[in-house]
Amino acid sequence: MESLAKLVMLMVLASLLSGPIAIALTLIKRKSTNLTHIVLRRLLQSIFLCLSLFFGLLFLFNQEMPPVIHAIGFYALVMSYIAIRREYFPTLRIVALLRAKFGMKPHSATNGDKTSLFGPVMKWRRNSHSGGKDGQGPAGQD
């Protein structure tokens, strides 16, 4: 009985941690020129994605499991989706496509000549001064 409890604990732990680890592996710079670095990162990421997908599907679609385990399975599937999308499809915008299909207007914030269809554009720049059209100071007043 003790080994069965350890096995279940390892399965739940793998489903909870493999998705975030795969997401963390996507944060490593993709523009590396070292082939072994790229292959090793993708291999590790595929192992964690397979674990997350397997245990997520197992926990989500098993009817005899309690609702908490179904939630853990759903969490594992969502985390693996995020990791796959970040690594292999970074420009795919599913939410914007769905909003356009249902006739909802996309977010359109303007900052000078720039418009963004996917959310607000930052008002302040990274070097800690404004773009000049925010109403702050003599240069920003129109």
Side-chain angles (χ1 to χ4, degrees), residues 3-17:
S3 62
L4 181 63
K6 288 180 183 179
L7 178 67
V8 170
M9 181 193 68
L10 285 176
M11 289 171 58
V12 170
L13 189 67
S15 65
L16 285 175
L17 292 180

Side-chain angles (χ1 to χ4, degrees), residues 74-131:
F74 182 72
Y75 169 79
L77 288 177
V78 168
M79 291 293 122
S80 61
Y81 164 75
I82 291 171
I84 289 171
R85 187 175 159 260
R86 284 180 58 98
E87 182 66 27
Y88 299 106
F89 310 106
T91 58
L92 181 67
R93 303 284 185 224
I94 293 177
V95 175
L97 293 174
L98 288 175
R99 290 180 67 150
K101 185 162 180 98
F102 289 116
M104 299 171 73
K105 291 183 179 179
H107 295 289
S108 62
T110 60
N111 185 10
D113 297 328
K114 298 179 186 176
T115 60
S116 173
L117 298 176
F118 304 111
V121 178
M122 288 181 56
K123 177 177 161 183
W124 293 90
R125 297 182 187 186
R126 290 190 185 264
N127 56 1
S128 72
H129 67 276
S130 71

Side-chain angles (χ1 to χ4, degrees), residues 6-101:
K6 288 180 183 179
L7 178 67
V8 170
M9 181 193 68
L10 285 176
M11 289 171 58
V12 170
L13 189 67
S15 65
L16 285 175
L17 292 180
S18 59
I21 291 172
I23 292 173
L25 286 172
T26 63
L27 297 175
I28 298 173
K29 294 188 179 188
R30 293 183 202 140
K31 298 187 181 199
S32 176
T33 57
N34 190 356
L35 184 62
T36 58
H37 183 257
I38 294 170
V39 169
L40 182 64
R41 181 176 59 89
R42 290 261 173 112
L43 183 67
L44 283 173
Q45 187 178 23
S46 65
I47 289 169
F48 286 118
L49 282 173
C50 287
L51 282 173
S52 180
L53 285 172
F54 176 73
F55 289 127
L57 289 171
L58 180 75
F59 290 159
L60 186 64
F61 292 116
N62 192 349
Q63 297 295 326
E64 299 170 356
M65 299 276 184
V68 173
I69 301 296
H70 288 290
I72 290 173
F74 182 72
Y75 169 79
L77 288 177
V78 168
M79 291 293 122
S80 61
Y81 164 75
I82 291 171
I84 289 171
R85 187 175 159 260
R86 284 180 58 98
E87 182 66 27
Y88 299 106
F89 310 106
T91 58
L92 181 67
R93 303 284 185 224
I94 293 177
V95 175
L97 293 174
L98 288 175
R99 290 180 67 150
K101 185 162 180 98

